[in-house]
Every structure is written in C-alpha cells, then in structure tokens.
C-alpha cells in the first residue's frame, strides 16, 4: 500500500512557532511548539526547521518524507516572491523568508501565506466553513483581520493586504491607531486598545469622583473593584464586570461591538459571502461584544446579503494555522502537478 502523503504546517507568530504534521483530512499526527529566542530572520528560519523536525519525530515520520511545508505568518505576505512584506510582531520588513528557509532545506517544496489566509483555508477545508466557496473568517484579538476565500480561491489582493479589516475607518478623527491613522476599527475593538479605552474612561471617572469628594466613581465601579487598579483592565475583566452590571464595561463592549458590526456589515454587503466566521481571543472572551457585532450586521448589511450569509464561529481553534498551512501546501502542489 502506498504511504499517505503528509505535509508540514507552520504557524509563525511574534513569540512562538508551531509546527505540525498534517494528513489529507486535516488531522494533526504530531506537533511541536516553541518560543522564539531571537527574531533575527536566520535564527527564526532555524527555529522553524527545528520545530518541524521535532513535529516529525512526534508523528513518527522522517522529515525527508514530508511532501512539502506550508507556512502561515502573522503579517503581510507576497506569496509569489516568498517575501514577508511586513510582520510587525516580528519587527520584519521585506524579509525573503522562503529563500532563507529553502537554503537550509533545498529539497522541501515550500509555500507561504498570511496567518489569516491559512486560517481561512483551514476552516474552509476541515473547519467551520467546510465546502463553502465564499467564506470570510474574521479574527479579533489585539489585531483585527479577515481571511477571505472567494469563488473557492484565497483572495489576498494586489499587494497581499486584502482583509486588513482592523484599519478600515469607523470614526472620523477618532482614537489614534498603531498604524498612525485616526479612527481605525482596531483602535476601538482590538483587545489592547479596547482595554486602554476603558482605562482612559475609568481614570476620568475616578478623577471626577475624587474632585467631588466621593469614594467611588459614578461609573465603572464594578470594574475597578474587580481589577483593583486601571492598569489591570482587560477585555475579559470588562466582560465579567458587564455581566455583574458594570455600566462602563457594558457601554464600551457594546460600542466596540457596534463599530465592529458596522465594518462587518459593509464587508458582507460588499462581498456577499455565504458564511462569516467570527473568532479570535477578544470575541471568544466577550459574548456581549459578539452579540453587538452580529446585531450590527443585522442592522446595516443589505437585506439580500444578510439573508445569504450564515454567521458562526471558527472550529479549528489554535490549530487553524498549522492545519490550514499544511492543506494549502497540499492544494498548491496538486495544482502545480
Ligand atoms: Zn489603523
């Protein structure tokens, strides 16, 4: 009997690299995750290979028998050139990462795509978007981005930056975003920014309380009781406080959800997907914000586009990256053959 063809999937983030041996059905046969000790591209290339070989060991398969290796990198990718155009968490700009990796493993076919693209591909192949040709996966964490599959193909745009949903404008002259613009969605609904927004409002409420000689702020009291000091505010704490009736947390989670929902509505109206998967740490931790976002889609997308789209959650969790990367490599090789 012919042995099954196996591929390696790599998920490269800013702090760690995850590698997995994946079969055609998207099952992980062995995996490895380790922290990056250096962000220098040559060292990262070594770390990727080490993780890949350890994952092969865990799967009981020699590295030399892998048919190919797919990489998903958190950043903007030029797939044709094998170039990481920008990966802020790694501090990279225009890094020819595939070349660096290929020099270390000349006989392994390699592919690279953005983390969002490989996640969307994985969900489409074996996750929450199985068999759906027009699929959008939106992940809301510290950053906000969308992986887009249109007509059964990944859509990444002319320069690889399609799906940069965190930087669509939702508020003229609004809060400052890490990209330098004002009023980006991410400046409100990105996890760290949402917590910072709550801290700002909490400090104002506490100063007002002090000025009025009150012991407790008029709003945000449950939140401050829960975390102790404004510096410790997180989206998870906000969700908990909101559940206990905290007005400040409720207002901000709902406002962030509303802005996200408006951006999603525009995406749905514009691209007419059959399925929209909403995930990422922030939404996972805040059912309240998720509900507000879906209500925003209901309110603002066109009737026909809203009727066509089913909204649910991704199913692959933190395995989406490695599974999607391996399956994308598999698909690319079979198309090329
Ligand atoms: Zn921005």
């Amino acid at each position: 009997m012919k042995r099954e063809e196996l591929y390696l999937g790599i998920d490269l983030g800013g702090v760690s690299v995850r590698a997995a041996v994946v079969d055609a059905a998207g099952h992980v046969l062995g995996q490895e995750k380790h922290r990056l000790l250096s962000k220098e591209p040559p060292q990262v290339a070594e770390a990727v290979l080490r993780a890949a070989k350890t994952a092969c060991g865990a799967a009981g398969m020699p590295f030399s028998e892998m048919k190919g290796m797919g990489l998903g990198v958190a950043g903007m990718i030029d797939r044709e050139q094998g170039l990481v155009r920008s990966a802020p968490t790694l501090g990279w700009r225009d890094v020819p990462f595939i070349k660096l990796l290929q020099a270390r493993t000349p006989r392994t076919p390699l592919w690279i795509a953005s983390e969002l693209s490989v996640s969307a591909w994985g969900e489409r192949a074996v996750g929450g978007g199985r068999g759906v040709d027009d699929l959008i996966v939106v992940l809301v964490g510290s950053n906000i981005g969308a992986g887009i599959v249109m007509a059964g193909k990944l859509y990444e745009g002319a320069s690889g930056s399609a799906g940069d949903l965190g930087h669509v404008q939702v508020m003229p002259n609004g809060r400052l975003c890490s990209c330098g613009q004002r009023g980006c969605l991410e400046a409100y609904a990105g996890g760290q920014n949402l917590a910072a927004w709550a801290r700002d409002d909490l400090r104002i409420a506490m100063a007002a309380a002090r000025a009025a000689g009150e012991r407790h702020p008029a709003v945000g009291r449950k939140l401050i009781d829960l975390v102790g000091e404004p510096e410790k505010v997180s989206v998870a704490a906000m969700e908990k406080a909101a559940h206990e009736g905290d007005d400040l947390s409720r207002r901000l989670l709902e406002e962030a959800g509303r802005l996200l929902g408006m951006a999603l509505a525009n995406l749905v109206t514009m691209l007419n997907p059959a399925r929209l998967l909403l995930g990422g740490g922030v939404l996972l931790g805040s059912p309240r914000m998720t509900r507000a976002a879906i209500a925003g889609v209901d309110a603002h997308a066109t009737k026909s586009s809203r009727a066509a789209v089913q909204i649910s959650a991704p199913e692959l969790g933190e395995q989406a990256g490695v599974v999607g990367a391996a399956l994308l490599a598999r698909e690319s090789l079979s198309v090329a053959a």
Side-chain angles (χ1 to χ4, degrees):
M1 202 179 92
K2 190 168 160 281
R3 279 184 99 157
E4 206 207 341
E5 298 188 337
L6 299 174
Y7 284 78
L8 275 157
I10 306 289
D11 184 354
L12 179 58
V15 288
S16 64
V17 55
R18 183 189 290 265
V21 176
V22 179
D23 71 11
H27 296 131
V28 171
L29 305 183
Q31 65 177 315
E32 164 73 2
K33 180 185 177 187
H34 58 226
R35 287 183 70 82
L36 292 174
L37 300 173
S38 158
K39 294 186 181 186
E40 290 302 313
Q43 273 78 22
V44 173
E46 297 288 346
V48 163
L49 271 185
R50 243 189 343 265
K53 286 176 179 167
T54 310
C56 288
M61 298 289 294
F63 178 77
S64 59
E65 282 197 21
M66 296 295 122
K67 287 285 165 191
M69 181 154 80
L71 287 92
V73 179
M76 211 181 285
I77 309 298
D78 182 331
R79 286 169 76 193
E80 300 297 311
Q81 307 286 329
L83 194 70
V84 178
R85 282 194 182 281
S86 93
T89 53
L90 286 163
W92 290 4
R93 218 159 232 301
D94 293 329
V95 171
F97 194 60
I98 287 299
K99 212 169 162 185
L100 286 174
L101 208 51
Q102 197 78 77
R104 288 164 173 79
T105 178
R107 291 165 62 187
T108 314
L110 301 173
W111 286 270
I112 190 168
S114 78
E115 190 179 42
L116 283 157
S117 287
V118 300
S119 295
W121 195 258
E123 293 291 343
R124 187 206 176 224
V126 295
R130 256 184 309 276
V132 177
D133 278 344
D134 298 289
L135 167 73
I136 299 176
V137 178
V138 171
L139 299 180
V140 181
S142 286
N143 302 109
I144 302 175
I148 303 171
V149 177
M150 288 278 116
K153 289 202 162 64
L154 268 181
Y155 182 75
E156 297 182 301
S159 63
S161 72
D164 211 356
L165 188 65
H167 304 285
V168 301
Q169 304 292 297
V170 293
M171 195 74 78
N173 298 313
R175 290 178 71 87
L176 187 63
C177 181
S178 60
C179 73
Q181 296 258 45
R182 284 191 172 275
C184 293
L185 175 62
E186 198 167 289
Y188 293 87
Q192 287 168 15
N193 292 330
L194 176 52
W197 187 14
R199 279 196 290 277
D200 291 348
D201 281 14
L202 206 49
R203 286 200 189 95
I204 292 167
M206 288 166 77
R210 270 197 303 278
E214 307 279 343
R215 272 191 62 204
H216 303 291
V219 296
R221 187 174 162 186
K222 289 236 164 58
L223 181 60
I224 196 72
D225 282 353
L226 200 66
V227 296
E229 50 184 310
E231 284 66 34
K232 301 224 168 103
V233 169
S234 65
V235 175
M238 290 169 72
E239 178 71 17
K240 190 150 185 273
H243 189 69
E244 290 167 12
D246 185 73
D247 37 14
L248 186 145
S249 301
R250 277 190 179 172
R251 181 171 57 79
L252 295 196
L253 287 172
E254 276 159 20
E255 178 65 3
R258 191 182 69 82
L259 295 172
L260 172 62
M262 205 148 30
L264 293 174
N266 292 340
L267 194 60
V268 165
T269 296
M270 191 72 194
L271 294 177
N272 189 204
R275 196 159 304 165
L276 171 63
L277 302 181
L278 297 181
V282 166
L283 292 184
L284 217 57
S286 180
R288 183 174 295 267
M289 184 170 157
T290 306
R291 279 196 302 275
I294 294 173
V297 179
D298 295 344
H300 300 294
T302 58
K303 276 204 175 67
S304 61
S305 68
R306 179 65 188 93
V309 69
Q310 187 188 326
I311 302 177
S312 51
E315 289 177 6
L316 301 182
E318 55 183 15
Q319 303 278 40
V322 286
V323 170
L327 293 177
L328 189 60
R330 178 182 292 272
E331 161 89 8
S332 308
L333 190 68
S334 68
V335 167

